[in-house]
Amino acid sequence: MPAASRQLKLNLFIYPGGHHEAGWRYKDSAPERVLDIAYYQELAKKAEASKFDALFFADGPALADNIRYASRFRLEPLTWISALAAVTQRIGFIATASTTYNEPYNLARLFASVDHLSGGRAGWNIVTTGDASAALNFGFDRHPTHADRYERAGEFVDVVTKLWDSWEDDALVSDRDSGIFADTDKIHSINHIGKYHRVKGPLTLPRSPQGRPVYVQAGSSEDGRSFASRYAEAIFTAHQTLGNAQEFYADIKARVKSVGRNPDHVKVLPGISPFIGSTEAEARALHDEFNELTQPEYSLHQLRRIVDADLSGYDLDGPFPRELIRVEGERGASSRFHVVLDIIERENPTIRQLLHRLAGARGHWVQAGTPEQIADKIQEWFDNGAADGFNIMPPYLQGGFDIFAEEVVPILRRRGLFRHDYDGATLRDHFGLPRPQSTFSGLQRATA
């Protein structure tokens, strides 16, 4: 794609209380509204007015965070999307759903329904669920291993793809004169029998406006990269440095090409959480103000979940005890573990400094600066092989998004990096992705 025509992809990643772990405590946040659908509808309308590609929703099937200290509960994302699609026209919606704790047929129906009812604006963030406590919510004694979860995920996505394709594009006829509603020769059972799933099909409704909702993946482990190269059309990733982001970007694009896919059809979207001020000093002071609101007990709990080290008896202002960190085993397969390990080894922080580094966005890139400086950083990564766009992760809502939309987006537009208006109607249109052909198209048919 010529450099002049390449433009940023921007998603608004919504966490109910904002992405900073203490964002809900900030004086301009609105924690009393996090169960009010109008709150999210307002955000969706603002993001659409700014011509964002999509809203992104995280999810997990267990209450993993320490809810005593943070606004970290989960609303079910497909329910959420349905309410937001009704008050918007163009913006896309990416919902997280687990391949470990769902069944392919139900999930295929849910996403296909949302894609139909939104006019083709749905995306599926495919996760395998890293939280072992989820198993106990589904009647399982143990959580599957990292490798087993990804093996199941591959089969799961293959089944969902076949189900979404099980109606060919022209299977729905609706011919009043002949009385034929659907051409049943173009509706197919998938008859899948695999290691993890047995699904006959077909799906209960026609192929959706996008053919298939957009496939999104989050995770940068070796298994995650391999999975993404086969399936993902957008990848949500976390990096702290330009060099690490460039390495990931180059590796993913090479892997995608090696399996016969077009690298331009896989968008790499790191997370960025911006603290914005009229001066750099003001922005840094804002960041410090948020960090002063953190609760050490919560922060230590979060860190322990990532690196499996109990630091509760250590001096927060003492050096981080690197000897407690073990890389081997299941923990060492986690991409977020390696993000944190890189911070420890590169910056040699105190425990408190590390907690503050992670408080902003759980290992995603946190930047404090003026609107021009934030735009400069975004452009640097975009122009230098590190990103195709970003998931914007406001530290608090709604003001943390408002200032980005009002101050940073116009700068990106002036530089020719971001759209002034939508060119299409679907999420695939926004991301510049082709509409995939059904795997059942062009089948040899018996003649009378």
Side-chain angles (χ1 to χ4, degrees), residues 5 31 48 93 148 151-152 169 246 258 267 275 376 420 445 448:
S5 64
E48 184 170 65
F93 302 100
D148 286 345
E151 183 182 37
R152 176 186 166 100
D169 285 320
Q246 288 171 321
S258 73
K267 308 302 179 183
F275 288 80
D376 288 345
H420 288 268
R445 305 187 197 286

Side-chain angles (χ1 to χ4, degrees), residues 105-176:
Y105 197 88
N106 282 345
L107 200 68
R109 291 186 69 208
L110 289 166
F111 272 98
S113 297
V114 169
D115 204 45
H116 275 292
L117 297 176
S118 68
R121 294 187 281 149
W124 173 26
N125 180 39
I126 306 163
V127 299
T128 65
T129 303
D131 184 4
S133 66
L136 301 178
N137 292 335
F138 292 85
F140 300 115
D141 293 330
R142 65 177 184 85
H143 189 53
T145 66
H146 191 273
D148 286 345
R149 295 198 308 273
Y150 271 97
E151 183 182 37
R152 176 186 166 100
E155 184 181 334
F156 192 111
V157 175
D158 287 339
V159 173
V160 169
T161 299
K162 292 175 189 175
L163 288 169
W164 284 338
D165 288 355
S166 61
W167 291 56
E168 295 182 45
D169 285 320
D170 55 352
L172 188 61
V173 178
S174 299
D175 186 335
R176 290 184 173 89

